[in-house]
Amino acid sequence: MFDKLTLVSLTKGRMDWIAKRQEVLAENIANANTPKYVPRDLKEWNFKDVLGQSVPSVGIKATDPRHISPPMQDPTKVISTKKTFESSADGNAVVLEEQMAKMGQAKSSYEVAAGLFEKQFKLLRTALSKGQ
């Protein structure tokens, strides 16, 4: 029922993206000693792109089955990260400090999104209780 609310679905999408990113970063940390391992990350979560996919707007639309549909962006697409300035002798490019900083950033982002999620439901609860 609440998934139909745009702000709720956007917040849930952001939290899902952050959770997936934490999994990918954890894999990087776990493979810190694997020879020739290249760290990975998720494609950056762009609010404008995600909002455009969730809110109907005027834009490109396939009106005929023979038309090419506009591509949908996948916010959870895993990509290889850019080459870092450090690598070990065995070719491993994982910099633990960098990965830990990204994990901290992801944790903070998740807490902000969870707080926003909580406030949205408090507002809904308040609105629903006033109607009685």
Side-chain angles (χ1 to χ4, degrees):
M1 172 175 126
F2 291 113
D3 286 345
K4 299 208 185 302
L5 298 173
T6 303
L7 197 54
V8 172
S9 66
L10 286 173
T11 305
K12 182 183 177 303
R14 173 71 173 167
M15 291 174 75
D16 290 344
W17 181 87
I18 294 168
K20 177 70 175 168
R21 184 174 191 219
Q22 286 177 325
E23 288 177 25
V24 172
L25 295 173
E27 286 178 18
N28 291 344
I29 293 168
N31 286 298
N33 293 326
T34 303
K36 298 183 182 179
Y37 182 81
V38 177
R40 302 177 317 148
D41 203 347
L42 291 186
K43 180 178 168 255
E44 193 61 42
W45 196 84
N46 184 336
F47 181 75
K48 185 178 175 183
D49 291 342
V50 175
L51 182 63
Q53 290 174 10
S54 64
V55 178
S57 63
V58 177
I60 301 171
K61 183 176 179 182
T63 57
D64 186 282
R66 294 171 292 178
H67 291 166
I68 298 173
S69 298
M72 296 294 285
Q73 299 289 330
D74 181 10
T76 60
K77 181 180 178 189
V78 178
I79 57 173
S80 294
T81 58
K82 298 174 189 167
K83 291 212 176 227
T84 57
F85 59 91
E86 290 183 37
S87 66
S88 61
D90 62 3
N92 185 307
V94 176
V95 179
L96 284 175
E97 293 82 7
E98 179 184 1
Q99 298 302 312
M100 295 304 290
K102 287 180 179 182
M103 285 290 275
Q105 181 186 34
K107 180 181 182 281
S108 298
S109 296
Y110 192 87
E111 289 171 353
V112 168
L116 180 61
F117 205 69
E118 183 180 351
K119 286 180 193 256
Q120 290 171 26
F121 281 103
K122 281 183 182 177
L123 284 171
L124 285 170
R125 237 181 279 128
T126 301
L128 293 173
S129 67
K130 298 291 181 189
Q132 295 179 358

